Each structure stands twice: as C-alpha cells, then as structure tokens.
Amino acid sequence: MLLFALGFLLVILQPSTGQFPRVCANVQSLLSKECCPPWDGDGSPCGELSSRGSCQNILLSQAPLGPQFPFSGVDDREDWPSVFYNRTCRCEGNFMGFNCGECKFGFSGLNCTERQVKTRRNIFQLTASEKNKFLAYLNLAKNIPSQDYVIATGTYTQMNNGSNPMFRDINVYDLFVWMHYYASRDTLLGGSNVWRDIDFAHEAPGFLPWHRVFLLMWERQIQRITGDENFTIPYWDWRDAEDCEVCNDEYMGGRHPTNPNLLSPASIFSSWQVICTRSEEYNSQQALCSATSEGPIRRNPGNNDKSRTPRLPSSADVEFCLSLTQYESGPMDKMANYSFRNTLEGFADPQTAISNPAQSGLHNALHIYMNGSMSQVQGSANDPIFVLHHAFVDSIFEQWLRRHRPMLEVYPAANAPIGHNRENYMVPFIPLYRNGEFFKPSRELGYDYEYLQEPALQSFQDFLTPYLQEARQIWAWLVGAAVFGGIVTAVLTGLVRACRKKKGGTSSEIQPLLIESEDYNNISYQSNF
C-alpha cells in the first residue's frame, strides 16, 4: 500500500537533479551546445523574466593540471561539460537547477529565502516505521523512471558530434549508479586501447566534495519522488564493528541460505538488478555502459582478501585520520602522504598516513570487505549499502572541517589530477557544481549529523538565524545609522569638552590619566560571535 501511494506521487512530483537534462538531449541543443531550458514558472530560459538566472557562457578553469592524464581532447569529460554544452543556466541568489527552478541546498520556500538544516541520523536510531519507510523509498527509486534526466549511451564522437543523439531512459536509483560509473570509467582511446589512471570522483582532492554533492542530489531526488521533504539519508557508523551489522533482512539484506554471494530472498534487494559492472567488456567494445541489467547484487561480507583488508576500521583509525592537518599533499593522488583525504579514502595507512595502495583502509576497507558488487569502483553504487557508507564517510569529512576550520584556499587550486582543481566543474553533474563550492561545513548546505550536533549551540544559532537574515537585508541602513550616530556623538563630545574647558581649565589635578601610554599600545579588541 505504501509503494502504491508513493507511486501515485510520481504523477505530481517531478525529479529534477541528475545528468543530461532530457530537454537538452536533442540535436538542436547538442549542435548549438546550449542547455538553457525554460523555467515553468514564467516560460523564460533559466527563469530570466523572474530574475532567477540567465543563459551564460560556461567559464572554465585555466589552472594547470597534474601529470596523471597525459592526453588532451580524447575524453568527453575533459573541461566538463564543454564537449556537450558551452552555454548553460547561471542561477542567481539562492536559485539552482538546470533551469534555475530549484532552491540551493539548504534553502526552501517560494523564493528560496528560507534557511533549513535537516538532520541525518544513525540507521539504528530510526524507529521501525522510519526504517521501513527508508527501505520503501529505496525500492521506489529503483522502479520509477527519471522524468527530467536521461543517460548517454555513446560518446560525443559516436553521436556524430551531436547530430545523432544517443540517450536512453533510466530509473531514479540507477541514474546515480550510472553517474558514479561515468565519473570513474576509463578513457576510451580507440581500438582496444584505454587509459585507466583517470577518475573524476576518486583518488584525488575532489573525492570528498564529489560524493558530498552526490548524496545531496540523491537525497533531494528521494524527497521529490516521495513528497517527503523531511527525508534525510541515514548513516551506518561502522567504527569498531565486528561484522556487517546492516547485512540482515531487517535492514539491507541478509545472506542467501544456499549461495553466500547473493542476498536472502526475504530481502527486497534480492530482486534488484545491477548495471555498469562489466568495465572490461565496455572497454573492449569501446562503448559506454548502457544501463542494461547485468544480474543480481552480489555481496559476501567478511570473506574478502584479509591480507589487503584484515578488519573493519576502528575508532582509533578515524581519530588518527581526523588529527591530520593537511587536506591534501604531494602529488594529490593515491600516493599522497600525510593527506587527510588520501587517508580517509583508504589509500594511506590509517595509523601512519603513509601511502600504501596495496592495503585498503577506512573508506576503501568497507568496499573491499563487502566482497561483491560494492567492491568494484565503477559499479559500487549498485549496492544500497553504498549510501549508508558514504553518508558516514561524509560525516568524518564534516568532523575534519569543524575541527580544523580550513579556508577555501586549503583546497588545491591547481596541479591536481584532471577534474579535481578547486574551480573545475564536477563530472557528470548538470546543473554545474565546482569542487570548491562544497568544501564548507554541512550546515551551510542544509544538513547536519545527529552525532555531531551541539544542542546548545544549534538552538542558539537557530534562534539567531531569522534576525541575522533581517539584519542582512537592512545592512546598508544600519551602516548609515551608525555613521550618523558617530557624527552626532562626536559633536556632542566636542561641546561637552568645550564647556568643561571653559568652566574648569585643564589642570592635571582634575584631569586624571585614564591609561598609561605604554599600556595603550598593548590593548587589542576582539569580537567573538
């Protein structure tokens, strides 16, 4: 009954975040290289008549890249999305979306002026009904076609430079599986040649911001298709876990009774079909994943290669990782030492922070431990545990941001692997997001984690938020009033001093020294908010 009701909502709620906008997946848009769809609210491109945005040339970063990718002009993802489009909607204020029809993350309301902060919770803290609703939402996303987005089934060259569009429909859940595949796939060089040392979502500085955006988009999709605007992704806190605590039929699916590599028939996820798992086949055919079904989810947790991943991560591993002060270092890839990003991603030892790709720690350890669909990078998002896992990884990223309070300049502006510089647009997202835009505290993006919340501070901030917003709107008036007040004060002070001088002179006996000059230079003024 719940799924029937959720299915009905599809008629009135349209998903709106993903990869290639359906309205731009046509000959005209590809040949003109323009994706500036009209906003339904006023019928103008990018909602320009309502001052939501306008159609603009894409401004690409010119910062130099690292040496990991020695080619140019061979991959559609280079200088994303310029191979497909060089004009898109540039939204104003708090508006967002491929047609500026949405609110930025963290805002809501008719004009996107209402701030909001939602809380992501531990999956084991959900009530039975909340947990069952989450599972139902996952299954709904797997069975509903995306209304606004399609996926590419061929490269731009295979599309005859736009004159022969190659796109197809896909369900909401698999849209995100495909995007994860597309960002991490190998470069097709022609014949049987590929370049494997390329990844727009992993092994470099953008790993954490990219997956942060991925989860925010996924979360919003679920909110839209279900009508549940309060939905947030739960997380699995796997620190010190002795086994896969969510691998049972009550949560994400138990083990099959006769085939340990499959899920229990009692789990709704046992009927799911995976996509984009046959990378060697695609490479040999010089083809993209077309999102056709490739069999059931595979998972055999704990029966992995123990020499590579002997155990699940510990609290000590996470705490050591959080103590690292450098976000990125050295070559800014999987060989980086003393890098918080590389240690959390799992290519550096969680006890020394020295790179060791032969071992898998922290984030990578969970993927390897699952010993199945989740253990292969390109297709790992097929297993719904992926969402729980990455929500917790994001929470560790959030802890690091709060502890070290880095400036935006800490995120590398240049010489990172392709696609990972601060101003690079993330592949393959449309609307466009830059890596640096998500190197900020989660509360600024509209969400928090239950176990990271500071109750007193949170309530104080929530209390002040509406007043700060009002102050921002009348800031110019406040400054003017302050200047005027200062002038009046100065005039009155002058008059008072003149009267005193006229009345009593300037004898030092009746003009006590308020502060010694040598102490005056040592005074500092601080304003802590």
Side-chain angles (χ1 to χ4, degrees), residues 11-12 15 86 130 162 172 255 302 431:
V11 178
I12 57 174
N86 54 32
E130 290 171 334
V172 171
R255 202 184 300 268

Side-chain angles (χ1 to χ4, degrees), residues 223-281:
Q223 292 166 357
R224 295 293 294 273
I225 66 174
T226 62
D228 184 355
E229 293 298 319
N230 294 315
F231 169 78
T232 56
I233 299 171
Y235 58 86
W236 170 33
D237 183 348
W238 33 249
R239 290 173 297 182
D240 304 314
E242 296 183 0
D243 54 28
C244 180
E245 300 165 330
V246 295
C247 295
N248 54 61
D249 291 337
E250 183 181 357
Y251 287 94
M252 311 310 290
R255 202 184 300 268
H256 193 283
T258 60
N259 187 339
N261 294 312
L262 299 179
L263 301 185
S264 163
S267 168
I268 58 173
F269 302 118
S270 64
S271 63
W272 281 26
Q273 291 285 301
V274 301
I275 64 170
C276 302
T277 62
R278 300 174 181 173
S279 58
E280 293 306 316
E281 179 180 314

Side-chain angles (χ1 to χ4, degrees), residues 345-359:
E345 189 168 359
F347 292 108
D349 191 300
Q351 297 176 341
T352 65
I354 300 298
S355 172
N356 184 6
Q359 296 285 309

Side-chain angles (χ1 to χ4, degrees), residues 19-21 24-35 58 75-88 151-162 164-167 178 182 185 288 427-428 430 432:
Q19 220 264 327
F20 289 95
C24 296
N26 53 64
V27 172
Q28 180 180 353
S29 296
L30 292 173
L31 293 183
S32 67
K33 289 183 174 289
E34 182 174 295
C35 182
I58 293 172
D75 194 309
D76 291 347
R77 300 168 296 178
E78 296 176 53
D79 288 327
W80 180 260
S82 61
V83 169
F84 295 96
Y85 312 108
N86 54 32
R87 284 174 62 82
T88 60
I151 62 167
T153 57
T155 65
Y156 192 68
T157 299
Q158 291 168 348
M159 295 184 195
N160 196 21
N161 296 329
N164 180 35
M166 299 173 65
F167 300 97
W178 190 91
Y182 190 81
R185 69 175 179 84
L288 299 184
V427 176
I430 298 176
L432 305 178

Side-chain angles (χ1 to χ4, degrees), residues 22 29 114 202 208 212-213 222 230 251 267 271-272 275 334 336 351 436 466 497 508 517 522:
R22 185 182 298 275
S29 296
E114 301 171 17
H202 305 86
L208 292 168
R212 172 162 281 195
V213 174
I222 299 298
N230 294 315
Y251 287 94
S267 168
S271 63
W272 281 26
I275 64 170
K334 62 185 176 182
Q351 297 176 341
R497 287 180 175 176
S508 60
S517 61
N522 293 327

Side-chain angles (χ1 to χ4, degrees), residues 186-207:
D186 302 331
T187 293
L188 307 177
L189 296 174
S192 58
N193 299 314
V194 298
W195 185 263
R196 300 180 189 278
D197 190 14
I198 185 171
D199 195 315
F200 290 84
H202 305 86
E203 303 180 18
F207 165 69

